[in-house]
Amino acid sequence: MIDDVLYSGRTIRAAMEEIFDMGRPERIELAVLVDRGGRELPIRADYIGRGVPTSHDEYINVAINDEKIEKVSICGKGEE
């Protein structure tokens, strides 16, 4: 699986549940562009582009254009 930003792990867990509904895979590997830390679930990425610790009040904004990463930024509440 590939995800842009890994934070709580809930999105990955939901995707894994959908995969398990189709049968039990031999293995699932996870690649993420940005790992924020702060997991709520015991999910770890196998491949990480960059680890960026953030607070709960911040979020990561990833802009992708034509399959190319244009910009990755840390934003606070109300920022763009």
Side-chain angles (χ1 to χ4, degrees):
M1 291 191 299
I2 298 174
D3 199 2
D4 56 352
V5 178
L6 177 58
Y7 183 43
S8 67
R10 293 180 301 184
T11 303
I12 299 301
R13 177 65 187 167
M16 288 172 56
E17 288 176 7
E18 292 299 317
I19 291 171
F20 285 131
D21 285 347
M22 295 183 279
R24 185 180 172 105
E26 182 178 321
R27 174 177 51 196
I28 296 176
E29 292 184 348
L30 174 61
V32 297
L33 295 175
V34 179
D35 184 352
R36 289 184 56 177
R39 255 8 127 256
E40 294 175 9
L41 301 170
I43 292 176
R44 176 183 56 85
D46 299 293
Y47 309 98
I48 301 170
R50 169 123 343 160
V52 179
T54 59
S55 72
H56 293 292
D57 294 336
E58 297 174 316
Y59 66 95
I60 303 283
N61 186 15
V62 179
I64 300 174
N65 188 11
D66 295 328
E67 299 180 13
K68 185 173 102 180
I69 298 173
E70 295 290 329
K71 181 179 177 183
V72 176
S73 57
I74 300 173
C75 302
K77 288 184 178 180
E79 295 179 38
E80 286 294 322

